């Protein structure tokens, strides 16, 4: 190192630290955003059904869901399946009575829908993946876009169609 802080008169320690920092940041981004599912982990293409619980919707959303139809991603570019069944029940909410008891009180004009969607995608050893890389797992909230409705719901079940 010379009196100006350069190694062999050309590269300074600061230059080396900056290059090392850039390499570490790139490696961190690759680890964070890299695909967790490799092609060796994917077993096969599969057809499966998943059920979404769509809560606290009004009657016009129920009517739109009952028209069935194909669902797509947010930009309507990738088909993610087709609604094959819709079950509807009155929406409820936990409430406390004047005596301090918890009850399921009906919400007038509101409904809970159980929307069954049939889709194709990839099955791996521990999950299912749609064509747009959406992982289907119980408890996950996903958006539902169709020609008639835009809403979201929580996945309550996923199964492979034999």
């Amino acid at each position: 190192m010379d009196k100006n802080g350069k190694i062999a008169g050309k590269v300074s320690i600061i230059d080396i630290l900056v290059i090392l920092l850039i390499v570490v940041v790139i490696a961190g981004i690759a680890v964070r955003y890299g695909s967790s599912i490799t092609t060796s982990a994917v077993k096969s293409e599969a057809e499966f059904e998943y059920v979404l619980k769509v809560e606290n919707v009004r009657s016009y959303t129920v009517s739109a869901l009952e028209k069935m139809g194909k669902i797509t991603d947010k930009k309507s570019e990738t088909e993610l399946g087709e609604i094959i069944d819709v079950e509807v029940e009155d929406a409820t909410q936990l409430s406390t009575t004047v005596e301090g008891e918890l009850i399921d009180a009906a919400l007038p004009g509101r409904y809970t829908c159980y929307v069954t969607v049939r889709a194709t995608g990839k099955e791996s050893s521990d999950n299912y993946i749609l064509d747009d890389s959406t992982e289907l797992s119980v408890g996950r909230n996903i958006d539902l876009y169709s020609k008639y409705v835009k809403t979201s719901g929580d996945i309550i079940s996923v199964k492979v169609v034999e």
Side-chain angles (χ1 to χ4, degrees), residues 39-107:
T39 54
S40 63
V42 174
K43 287 183 183 176
S44 63
E45 290 284 326
E47 184 174 52
F48 40 85
E49 292 179 358
Y50 59 98
V51 179
L52 292 168
K53 182 178 183 181
V54 181
E55 297 184 279
N56 199 11
V57 295
R58 295 180 223 170
S59 61
Y60 64 84
T61 304
V62 173
S63 298
L65 287 169
E66 288 176 336
K67 291 180 181 178
M68 309 289 183
K70 297 179 192 266
I71 60 170
T72 62
D73 66 349
K74 189 173 188 174
K75 296 177 184 174
S76 298
E77 295 175 357
T78 306
E79 184 180 313
L80 302 178
E82 185 172 352
I83 299 172
I84 59 170
D85 188 34
V86 178
E87 296 177 24
V88 182
E89 62 183 37
D90 291 333
T92 60
Q93 179 177 335
L94 277 178
S95 296
T96 307
T97 64
V98 290
E99 292 85 28
E101 294 178 29
L102 281 177
I103 60 167
D104 270 335
L107 292 173

